[in-house]
Structure formats: C-alpha cells, structure tokens
Amino acid sequence: MRAPYISVVIPVYNEAENLEPLFTRLTAVLDKLAKPYEIIFTNDGSRDNSIGLLHEFYRRRPREVRVIDFNGNFGQHMAIMAAFERVRGEVVITLDADLQNPPEEIPKLLAAIDAGHDVVGSYRKDRQDNWFHKYASRMLNLIRERTARIRMRDQGCMLRAYRRHIVDTIAASGETSTFIPALAVRYAANPAEVEVEHAARAAGTSKYRLYDLIRLNFDLMTGFSVVPLQLFTFFGMLVSVGSLLFVGFLFIRRLIVGPEAEGVFTLFAILYFLVGVGIFGLGVIGEYVGRIYQEVRRRPRFIIREVIEQTDSVKNKTADLANTLNG
Ligand code: UDP
Ligand code: MG
C-alpha cells in the first residue's frame, strides 16, 4: 500500500446526520488532489448511529478510511490525539464533522503548507455562530493572547493543517487535558493563518455548553501559562503594601483623634471583597493542583474499543488484536 501524503483527522460525536454529506464532499475534494490520502475518523462514544455509518464508509473505501472507536466520550481533543498517534501522512489536516468547516477549503491549507509553513491555522470569514459564542470567544482570545502568549486569530476554528513532525510532537506530549491548536502553535517554527469560509452547523447541536467553554479556557490558561498564579502573587503584594499603609494611617489617627468605631461597613465591604479574591485564588491554585493530580495518576487518556483499518503492515496490530477479541 502506498503511504498516504495527506491524513485527514475527524472527531465524531453524535454526528449521524452530517457524516454522509461530509464524506461525499471530503472525498470529492481529496480525490481531485490526486495524492494518496487517508481519513481517520474517531468515534468519541457517540450514542447515535455514527459508528454504523463509519463502518459503512470503511466498507466503501477500505484503502482510505480508518476508524478509531472509543470506549466512551473522551472529548474532541482526545479524539484528535488518538488519530494523531496513528497518522501515516506527511501532512495532517483536522476538520470538524459538522460541516462548519467546508472541506473545499483544504487545498488552501495545503498551499500554505507547500509554501513552507509547518502549522497552518484558519480563521472564519463570516462566523455563523450566535452573538454569545462570538463575543465570548473574542474575549477569551484576548485573555489567552495576554497570558499564554499564544497567537491564534480564531481558536474555535478546527480546520487546520500540520506538518507531520509537529503532529508527532503533539502526540508525544502526553497531556491529558489540552488544546491541540495551541500546542501546535507552541511547537511551530513558521505558523501561518488563512481565511476560510464558515457555515452554520449542518445538523444537530453544538456539543459545547457554556460550562465546557469555561472549562476549555481554564485548560488553555492553566495548561499553557502560570500567569494566573503570578497575578495572584502580585495582587497579594499590592494588598499587603496597601494594608501596611492603612495600618500606619489608622495608628496615627488613633493617636490624634482617639478611639472611633465609624466605618465598620466600609471595612466589611473591603473584607468581603478580599475574602472573595482569596477564594478565587484558591480556585486558581486548585486548577493547577487538579492538573498535576490528573497527570500523576497516569490513567490512560482515552480507551480504544476497536480500530477498523486495513491490516497490511506491522503497525496495525491493534486492529488484529481487536478483531481477535471480537471473535
Ligand atoms: N466532538 C467530539 N467529542 C466531544 C464533543 C465534540 O468528538 O465530546 C466533535 C464533534 O463531533 C465535532 C467537533 O468535535 O466534529 C466539534 O464539535 P462542535 O461542532 O459541537 O463544537 P463547536 O463547533 O460548537 O465548537
Ligand atoms: Mg461545530
């Protein structure tokens, strides 16, 4: 079998309605490129018929299609990570399954890779999301750029291309909660970004709720920088200096004016505020401690039930094993 030049990686979580049109459009684009390619789908514990459809794609194009079937829901980034561990292509492209990233834009990314860039990101031309999504992500972009110093115009756009060595480094990083585009930008020597079309989700609903978005951004901030911790140290220093001055002021006042009990509520207000900041700081430390805990437990990042792919090389032992296990 010829080694593929392009590996397309697609995480799938309850995307049954989108898979057929996605597969048709994607293979049309890739066939036109006339370069050997593979498409790796990771089924991230879908509860609809996604896995049935992926089996069907494999039956149709066994040479190009590979399917990784997870044992449960491990998240979009782990789904991509599992595929990254197995890619065979020189150039790796990630794509969402919901057709928000048109596959027709892939040649644009490949052109940028050919021009010598090792990581090619993309930003959406007219973002077809609701205003909340749009503004929340704009704000988070700003915070991320300031703290983690990762420059990405559009972190939510997963249509991206990577040179193989970048993908190998990402896969070898072994992190459990991570954000793949950010890692890639970290490892890139010569990143670029191109403008792509963006459509509304073809069918189904976004898998990310507000809580997930907040979690994701905590991961981004704490996974890529210690600035939040440093900010707290800094704030603590400021408060200490301020308090010291205040104590001095009260002491002198006591000598001049004598005892007084006014301003209790002002003091309470200040106290509450500081207690609030303190609890928040504890939470930030908790974020880091939690991540350390996750890493030291060394649990598997994801569990693969089965890999469905053509087994004609030594590399594909997993599939053999899976087949034997399934009788
Ligand atoms: N996805 C996944 N596991 C998850 C959530 C999402 O594999 O737990 C996949 C999903 O099927 C899609 C991509 O990740 O292909 C992006 O998800 P979604 O479109 O819901 O995110 P959004 O576009 O709203 O950011
Ligand atoms: Mg989407």
Side-chain angles (χ1 to χ4, degrees):
M1 190 158 94
R2 268 204 308 168
Y5 173 70
I6 302 165
S7 297
V8 179
V9 167
I10 306 178
V12 176
Y13 179 53
N14 296 340
E15 303 280 5
E17 303 108 310
N18 299 322
L19 284 176
E20 190 67 61
L22 169 74
F23 192 64
T24 315
R25 282 171 61 184
L26 182 63
T27 45
V29 171
L30 294 173
D31 286 337
K32 225 182 286 164
L33 292 172
K35 291 216 169 104
Y37 65 86
E38 63 178 4
I39 306 173
I40 309 180
F41 292 99
T42 307
N43 175 40
D44 187 17
S46 302
R47 274 156 305 174
D48 61 2
N49 187 33
S50 295
I51 188 67
L53 290 166
L54 297 179
H55 273 111
E56 165 61 23
F57 296 162
Y58 174 72
R59 269 192 293 278
R60 265 189 248 163
R61 313 274 300 245
R63 288 167 61 88
E64 282 88 16
V65 174
R66 302 164 71 191
V67 179
I68 301 168
D69 189 17
F70 272 3
N71 200 356
N73 182 245
F74 293 90
Q76 179 187 3
H77 292 272
M78 283 307 114
I80 297 174
M81 198 65 95
F84 274 12
E85 288 181 354
R86 287 175 174 71
V87 289
R88 298 182 188 136
E90 295 280 313
V91 178
V92 180
I93 290 171
T94 55
L95 188 71
D96 279 352
D98 58 4
L99 285 169
Q100 283 195 281
N101 316 131
E104 290 75 20
E105 299 281 14
I106 288 176
K108 221 189 255 178
L109 297 183
L110 289 174
I113 288 278
D114 287 339
H117 298 287
D118 49 1
V119 170
V120 181
S122 61
Y123 52 92
R124 294 168 272 195
K125 200 169 169 186
D126 304 301
R127 230 183 126 166
Q128 300 293 321
D129 273 325
N130 60 35
W131 64 270
F132 171 75
H133 248 81
K134 246 186 254 185
Y135 284 94
S137 82
R138 192 172 300 172
M139 197 186 69
L140 292 166
N141 265 356
L142 199 77
I143 299 177
R144 189 204 54 242
E145 238 168 62
R146 289 283 154 77
T147 56
R149 311 216 166 280
I150 291 171
R151 282 202 161 275
M152 265 188 297
R153 236 174 110 157
D154 190 355
Q155 68 174 35
C157 195
M158 287 304 286
L159 180 58
R160 286 161 192 275
Y162 312 94
R163 276 265 165 213
R164 174 62 178 279
H165 67 271
I166 300 278
V167 164
D168 289 342
T169 316
I170 293 174
S173 296
E175 292 180 27
T176 43
S177 45
T178 196
F179 192 73
I180 285 170
L183 262 189
V185 171
R186 253 306 142 78
Y187 297 151
N190 185 14
E193 295 194 308
V194 297
E195 188 179 71
V196 295
E197 296 286 338
H198 185 238
R201 210 169 211 294
T205 52
S206 171
K207 306 300 180 284
Y208 283 103
R209 288 156 301 148
L210 175 63
Y211 174 75
D212 299 316
L213 277 179
I214 295 174
R215 284 274 6 128
L216 181 74
N217 280 281
F218 264 125
D219 280 350
L220 252 180
M221 234 87 78
T222 57
F224 289 87
S225 119
V226 288
V227 167
L229 286 178
Q230 290 163 344
L231 281 181
F232 266 95
T233 320
F234 194 67
F235 184 75
M237 273 158 54
L238 281 184
V239 171
S240 306
V241 171
S243 312
L244 192 67
L245 293 177
F246 193 48
V247 167
F249 167 76
L250 286 182
F251 182 71
I252 293 167
R253 233 185 118 81
R254 178 80 217 297
L255 293 182
I256 299 170
V257 189
E260 46 184 353
E262 298 298 309
V264 186
F265 289 107
T266 321
L267 279 178
F268 264 113
I270 296 172
L271 192 67
Y272 285 152
F273 170 70
L274 290 180
V275 168
V277 173
I279 294 174
F280 183 60
L282 213 59
V284 171
I285 295 172
E287 287 291 326
Y288 286 93
V289 174
R291 294 179 71 86
I292 296 170
Y293 177 53
Q294 243 172 23
E295 297 298 335
V296 297
R297 257 186 336 204
R298 301 220 141 273
R299 291 207 184 138
R301 298 192 278 180
F302 44 78
I303 301 170
I304 296 175
R305 188 187 345 237
E306 188 186 5
V307 180
I308 304 140
E309 61 186 3
Q310 271 195 344
T311 54
D312 50 3
S313 83
V314 202
K315 268 195 206 153
N316 306 339
K317 277 209 181 110
T318 6
D320 286 332
L321 194 68
N323 286 335
T324 346
L325 287 177
N326 294 332

